[in-house]
Amino acid sequence: MKKHSSSNSDVNGGGSRREDFEVAVDVATLQDLSELLHSQPKKLYSESRHRRQIQKIPPHIRSRNIRRSQQVYDPVLVSIGPYHHGKPGLRRAEEFKHLCLDCCAGGDDKKKAFFYSKILEKASAIRDCYAEAEIVEKYDDKSLALMMLLDASIIIDFIHNYLGMKGNNFLDWRRCLGAGSWPLMIRDIMLMENQIPLQVLKLLIAMQYEEGEAASFLPRFFAGFLTCKTRLVGVDLKNAEIPDEIEDPSIHLLEAVRKVIVKKKKKKKKNEIEEQHTLTSEYSLVNKNVFMLSKFPMREETVDAGISYMHRSVMDLKAKGIRIRSDPDLSPGEITFVPGVCFSELHLPIQYLTPVVVENMIAFEVLPHGCSSLVVLSYAIFMKSLVQSPQDVKELQANGVMLNRFGNLENVVQMIKEVDTFGLHDQDIFKDVKRRIEEHCRSKARTWLADLIYSRVRTPWTAIALFAGVLLLCLTFVQTFFTIWPTNQRAL
């Protein structure tokens, strides 16, 4: 009868056939399938998919270039958190953490015990902050709390010294870890895998400092965590501001620093915008159009109907009459194109971040449990399109956009090319900027004038010679005119 009803269902329609199929499934088979499904690891997607977590770089990313992955994603001085804890090469810093804890507690054992007890109370919440549960499970609550205490202590002591606060122990850092430990420390605390929950850091800061100092401790560091940024831009560390984190608190230090970097400045008044003709791109919807790049290199990218954007280098833009200008007030998502009658300007933020920090921020943006916007990723891709040769780097350096701390321009080009963008590209964030650039480059009048100035008139002597030649030509024409038609003949 079952087979007969199934045959009828084939004739009558698909709906009845589906019902017969469901009824025909054996109960034991359903039970076996249910048990098998429940035994599969699905916690990652069911319970924590809506929560940002501290995670490791996936193996398929590291396997693309293992040696470079180690240089970019692994700490070289100090381990922060459980992912790199206990590595033999980081043992010296592990011993130094105890000295930093003494400085944070003022050598008071009761204070240390109090700090430890407060962190131990949050051991369960700390575990939930890490995506790799099997690594965190190696440590019991007491060991995990001690790890968090020591790691937070060395970060706080480093920031304390960096800000030049009273009671700093810079000589201890130099004696124990070496004179070059500070740049390495900045690098290591900006690694995605080398993080502790930011709430643990804030908790220890609140217990160690007075209310006013505790409130400004991290903001002051965020505003000038790189010396070159403070020196060039003139950041006021005492009055630094950071984005509001009440609704969306940062999970770790790297995310908090990224928020400061990509924070949009206050919009200018309408009349100022009309005067400057600025076109600041909005990146609130940056994650809408993300697509995979082809494995074959392509020079064109569609940015609007009928307009395709060519990946033009800095020198190409200069030859077309587009000047590069640095603007310390711009964030990576606020690249601005200012059109002009003859010449235009491309305003870029000062590039003061190291490639390691940029790549870890990109990894945080594109990997699961990251953030909803791809600002740093899009900025990195835009800069990679601008820098194609050492001459491009030299031009950016001359205009104050890029800080070349390596000397060799070719090395800078190679480092920019090696920045891993995970094969992704965003089309919207700089859509208006790219469209305006392409419109300028397709204007014959502007490009001819730029070619005349940059290619033909390279020196003042060439300009003088050109002016003299034009003047001589005009005088010759006037002389010829008066020779053919003398004044007395024209009077008659």
Side-chain angles (χ1 to χ4, degrees):
M1 292 297 293
K2 286 289 180 184
K3 293 182 179 179
H4 179 69
S5 61
S6 298
S7 300
N8 290 338
S9 66
D10 292 340
V11 178
N12 295 333
S16 59
R17 180 180 180 182
R18 182 176 297 176
E19 294 177 357
D20 291 341
F21 180 77
E22 290 176 356
V23 173
V25 175
D26 185 65
V27 177
T29 304
L30 283 174
Q31 185 176 359
D32 291 343
L33 178 61
S34 178
E35 292 176 357
L36 287 173
L37 290 177
H38 280 84
S39 65
Q40 298 299 312
K42 60 179 182 178
K43 180 180 179 181
L44 176 64
Y45 304 101
S46 61
E47 298 181 8
S48 61
R49 60 181 178 179
H50 299 300
R51 185 176 69 248
R52 296 192 312 281
Q53 293 178 301
I54 303 173
Q55 58 181 317
K56 290 179 66 68
I57 303 296
H60 69 275
I61 299 298
R62 284 184 172 270
S63 62
R64 292 192 294 184
N65 191 332
I66 298 178
R67 181 177 179 181
R68 173 159 175 78
S69 296
Q70 292 175 347
Q71 296 174 349
V72 173
Y73 302 120
D74 291 354
V76 296
L77 179 69
V78 59
S79 66
I80 304 295
Y83 291 158
H84 295 277
H85 183 76
K87 285 189 174 181
L90 310 175
R91 186 173 299 171
R92 178 177 291 273
E94 201 67 30
E95 298 172 356
F96 182 67
K97 291 178 183 179
H98 294 271
L99 180 59
C100 294
L101 177 58
D102 287 337
C103 294
C104 291
D108 190 346
D109 291 339
K110 291 183 179 180
K111 252 186 182 179
K112 295 179 186 178
F114 178 71
F115 294 163
Y116 168 78
S117 64
K118 289 298 182 180
I119 296 177
L120 184 60
E121 293 175 0
K122 300 183 178 297
S124 178
I126 292 173
R127 291 182 184 277
D128 291 338
C129 290
Y130 290 93
E132 306 295 332
E134 66 277 3
I135 297 179
V136 185
E137 288 173 356
K138 296 179 181 179
Y139 306 93
D140 57 23
D141 288 352
K142 294 181 179 180
S143 300
L144 185 63
L146 179 60
M147 180 195 303
M148 295 293 115
L149 176 61
L150 292 173
D151 292 348
S153 296
I154 193 172
I155 294 176
I156 292 174
D157 188 69
F158 169 74
I159 298 176
H160 185 100
N161 284 270
Y162 176 83
L163 297 178
M165 301 176 70
K166 294 181 180 180
N168 59 76
N169 60 334
F170 177 74
L171 293 179
D172 291 334
W173 278 81
R174 185 172 183 177
R175 175 173 53 85
C176 297
L177 299 181
S181 60
W182 278 42
L184 297 179
M185 184 67 182
I186 291 178
R187 173 197 180 276
D188 285 354
I189 63 177
M190 290 294 108
L191 302 181
M192 197 182 75
E193 293 184 349
N194 216 36
Q195 300 292 326
I196 61 174
L198 187 63
Q199 297 306 316
V200 174
L201 201 60
K202 289 183 176 180
L203 176 63
L204 192 58
I205 292 172
M207 292 187 293
Q208 182 179 346
Y209 295 94
E210 297 293 335
E211 184 177 355
E213 284 187 333
S216 63
F217 190 79
L218 286 178
R220 291 169 62 191
F221 174 68
F222 292 158
F225 78 102
L226 288 181
T227 307
C228 58
K229 176 70 173 179
T230 307
R231 184 179 68 249
L232 290 179
V233 183
V235 175
D236 184 4
L237 298 181
K238 295 183 179 180
N239 299 316
E241 296 182 0
I242 60 173
D244 187 9
E245 297 181 322
I246 297 178
E247 296 181 358
D248 190 18
S250 300
I251 184 65
H252 47 57
L253 193 63
L254 176 64
E255 182 183 6
V257 172
R258 179 193 168 276
K259 282 185 178 181
V260 175
I261 291 173
V262 304
K263 179 183 178 182
K264 297 184 67 175
K265 303 298 179 183
K266 294 181 180 179
K267 293 185 178 180
K268 298 181 180 180
K269 296 180 181 180
K270 186 176 181 180
N271 57 350
E272 293 179 355
I273 298 178
E274 291 176 353
E275 290 176 1
Q276 297 181 4
H277 302 282
T278 55
L279 292 170
T280 304
S281 298
E282 298 288 342
Y283 57 81
S284 58
L285 301 177
V286 66
N287 58 334
K288 276 193 171 181
N289 294 317
V290 180
F291 58 91
M292 276 289 183
L293 290 175
S294 170
K295 62 182 179 180
F296 300 103
M298 299 181 67
R299 293 286 294 177
E300 295 190 5
E301 170 195 346
T302 302
V303 298
D304 204 349
I307 298 179
S308 60
Y309 172 69
M310 305 292 292
H311 291 283
R312 304 180 186 275
S313 66
V314 173
M315 299 308 295
D316 292 338
L317 296 181
K318 182 177 180 180
K320 296 293 184 179
I322 300 178
R323 299 167 177 171
I324 304 296
R325 293 290 182 266
S326 62
D327 190 341
D329 292 329
L330 294 182
S331 72
E334 295 177 315
I335 293 176
T336 306
F337 183 78
V338 182
V341 177
C342 297
F343 300 96
S344 300
E345 293 182 353
L346 180 63
H347 291 191
L348 299 174
I350 295 178
Q351 172 57 37
Y352 61 93
L353 298 175
T354 63
V356 172
V357 175
V358 171
E359 291 197 54
N360 278 270
M361 288 185 179
I362 292 175
F364 172 72
E365 289 182 347
V366 303
L367 294 180
H369 311 290
C371 55
S372 59
S373 61
L374 306 176
V375 177
V376 179
L377 170 70
S378 299
Y379 170 75
I381 295 175
F382 192 88
M383 291 301 297
K384 289 178 72 171
S385 68
L386 291 180
V387 178
Q388 301 293 332
S389 66
Q391 288 74 23
D392 298 325
V393 177
K394 187 176 181 180
E395 186 70 19
L396 290 176
Q397 184 180 1
N399 288 280
V401 174
M402 185 172 292
L403 307 176
N404 182 11
R405 289 167 286 185
F406 303 96
N408 192 330
L409 299 179
E410 294 181 355
N411 290 345
V412 179
V413 176
Q414 185 63 27
M415 291 177 63
I416 293 177
K417 288 182 178 180
E418 290 179 350
V419 172
D420 192 356
T421 54
F422 294 81
L424 295 172
H425 186 67
D426 181 83
Q427 190 179 8
D428 276 350
I429 185 169
F430 300 126
K431 182 178 180 180
D432 290 338
V433 174
K434 293 175 181 178
R435 178 175 59 84
R436 288 303 181 99
I437 290 176
E438 202 58 36
E439 288 177 354
H440 176 100
C441 293
R442 295 190 180 192
S443 174
K444 298 297 184 181
R446 289 173 173 172
T447 54
W448 287 344
L449 181 59
D451 180 70
L452 175 65
I453 293 178
Y454 290 126
S455 300
R456 312 302 178 186
V457 187
R458 296 183 179 181
T459 64
W461 296 111
T462 308
I464 294 174
L466 178 62
F467 176 76
V470 173
L471 181 61
L472 181 61
L473 182 63
C474 293
L475 293 176
T476 303
F477 174 79
V478 172
Q479 182 181 9
T480 304
F481 177 80
F482 281 103
T483 302
I484 298 175
W485 292 288
T487 306
N488 53 359
Q489 291 184 3
R490 286 189 289 110
L492 296 176

